DNA sequence: AAGCTTTTTTAACAATTGTTATCGTCTGCT
DNA sequence: AGCAGACGATAACAATTGTTAAAAAAGCTT
């Protein structure tokens, strides 16, 4: 659960002078579950996922693509440990900004602070929507919903990540896909 | 998903002069899914639940008890439709405050605004924790977790509400309870 | 191109849950 | 007190998913 893949680049363009660009290979951990987030990421090229550890197996909770801003904002802003890990799926080009630079910028801009609050309400709603869709639908329905609404995820992401994202095993997802 | 049942009464005591007390019988709808929340509630006596409609059947998403503040704060603050319904389970005595009064108070207090933002981060974390516990655990595990951490819910709330809260049918919950 | 790793599919079996329906029990109401 | 509706337990069957294992397919690296 992180930001939605909107055109955050415009919204956050005020930070551009403070960005540091990094390039990372696939499967690079950018933030580890349990650690405090000190960096915020904006994806220039590639894709990321967030996941939580469950008895050694990981459960993917969200995917992020080009133009997306990714951070454990709750952790980044409150200095509490992040509940999830952020990891690259593909080789990525990423813009990063430090907690310090971010908060300095925040200090000088009421509008920015307001827009963060606005952003928080949106995230709250978004999180609820995702959760409620979980409560309402079967794995099969969630897969079909994903296929209809985010086909790029199905096309681009390895299936076992999608399986855990849907809350099922990769075996079960394979069955669902070949069911009809 | 709304506030946690903390001692919000202290935190929000600034609103006391603006409260209107109401008494409602059990099964009273205080906010309807799809409508914009114009009132915030603080429970003096009794308990409430929030639920979402799923093809005619309802799914309980949260329970609230004495001392708890309840609102669809995302809706209340942004004027977007609430994703869930708020309903009394028992006869209740409730303190209410209107959106207008709340926001007027907010205008005059930076600390209050800050504490709302703080509150939002907490909710974000809390929501994630609930969601992740859903992803990680089986219904049986969630039931046992609930029994260990919130026994008052098990004791006080009708089982079919708890069943849908756990994401299962009341039949299945009955089986789980009588399994050992 | 060969070889290794990762990913996906398939199969068989166990376990859990949903569905439907029935039957007591309890509760609140008039 | 009596009645109606709500609530919980149980049973039987269907459907889905998890688990484990093996094999096929795809992707990378050298």
């Amino acid at each position: 659960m992180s930001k939605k893949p909107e055109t955050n680049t415009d919204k956050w363009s005020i930070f551009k002078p403070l960005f540091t660009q990094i390039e990372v290979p696939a499967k690079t951990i950018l933030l580890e579950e349990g650690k405090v987030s000190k960096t915020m990421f904006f994806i220039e090229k590639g894709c990321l996922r967030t996941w939580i550890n469950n008895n050694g197996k990981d459960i993917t909770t969200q995917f992020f693509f080009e133009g997306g801003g990714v951070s454990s904002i709750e952790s980044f802003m409150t200095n509490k440990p992040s509940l999830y890990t952020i990891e690259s799926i593909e080789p990525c080009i990423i813009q990063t900004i430090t907690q310090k630079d971010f908060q300095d910028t925040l200090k000088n801009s009421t509008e920015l602070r307001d827009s963060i609050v606005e952003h928080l309400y949106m995230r709250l709603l978004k999180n609820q929507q995702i959760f409620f869709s979980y409560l309402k639908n079967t794995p099969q329905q969630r897969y079909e919903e994903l296929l209809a609404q985010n086909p790029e995820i199905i096309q681009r992401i390895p299936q076992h990540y999608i399986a855990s994202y849907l809350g099922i095993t990769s075996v079960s997802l394979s069955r669902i896909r070949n069911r009809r």
Side-chain angles (χ1 to χ4, degrees), chain A:
Chain A
M1 257 148 14
S2 243
K3 301 234 196 56
K4 45 180 170 170
E6 251 183 0
T7 59
N8 288 323
T9 4
D10 339 325
K11 195 170 166 186
W12 311 108
S13 57
I14 198 175
F15 298 117
K16 271 197 179 147
L18 301 168
F19 278 161
T20 304
Q21 178 170 317
I22 61 171
E23 296 193 27
V24 299
K27 303 201 181 188
T28 305
I29 307 278
L30 296 173
L31 169 65
E32 203 175 327
E33 177 180 339
K35 303 222 164 147
V36 175
S37 170
K38 296 290 183 188
T39 315
M40 189 175 274
F41 307 101
F42 297 87
I43 307 175
E44 192 90 29
K45 181 85 194 78
C47 64
L48 306 177
R49 69 183 182 118
T50 53
W51 58 271
I52 54 177
N53 180 296
N54 185 34
N55 294 111
K57 291 178 184 171
D58 59 57
I59 302 175
T60 297
T61 55
Q62 198 96 300
F63 299 107
F64 301 89
F65 300 95
E66 283 83 1
V70 188
S71 79
S72 179
I73 196 171
E74 334 62 75
S75 172
F76 187 79
M77 296 294 284
T78 67
N79 276 307
K80 290 187 191 304
S82 169
L83 296 179
Y84 48 84
T85 294
I86 301 178
E87 183 180 331
S88 63
I89 297 178
E90 305 173 354
C92 292
I93 302 173
I94 295 172
Q95 305 294 348
T96 71
I97 183 170
T98 65
Q99 195 186 44
K100 185 177 181 316
D101 284 348
F102 189 87
Q103 293 188 334
D104 286 350
T105 311
L106 216 58
K107 276 202 193 82
N108 305 321
S109 168
T110 314
E111 300 99 60
L112 192 58
R113 279 201 300 282
D114 289 349
S115 100
I116 295 275
V117 172
E118 188 64 20
H119 177 79
L120 288 177
Y121 286 118
M122 294 303 108
R123 287 255 336 243
L124 220 43
L125 273 169
K126 201 80 191 170
N127 284 182
Q128 286 176 5
Q129 275 167 347
I130 292 173
F131 184 41
F132 291 171
S133 128
Y134 236 87
L135 299 181
K136 287 180 174 178
N137 302 317
T138 64
Q140 167 133 358
Q141 287 171 318
R142 287 204 300 282
Y143 176 73
E144 281 158 9
E145 190 179 288
L146 196 65
L147 198 59
Q149 291 174 11
N150 302 82
E152 78 281 8
I153 292 184
I154 311 279
Q155 285 150 18
R156 196 165 167 183
I157 308 285
Q159 253 174 61
H160 61 291
Y161 291 154
I162 297 176
S164 77
Y165 175 75
L166 293 173
I168 53 181
T169 62
S170 61
V171 176
S172 190
L173 176 55
S174 178
R175 275 191 293 233
I176 288 174
R177 283 167 53 87
N178 297 71
R179 193 169 284 167
R180 65 185 61 262

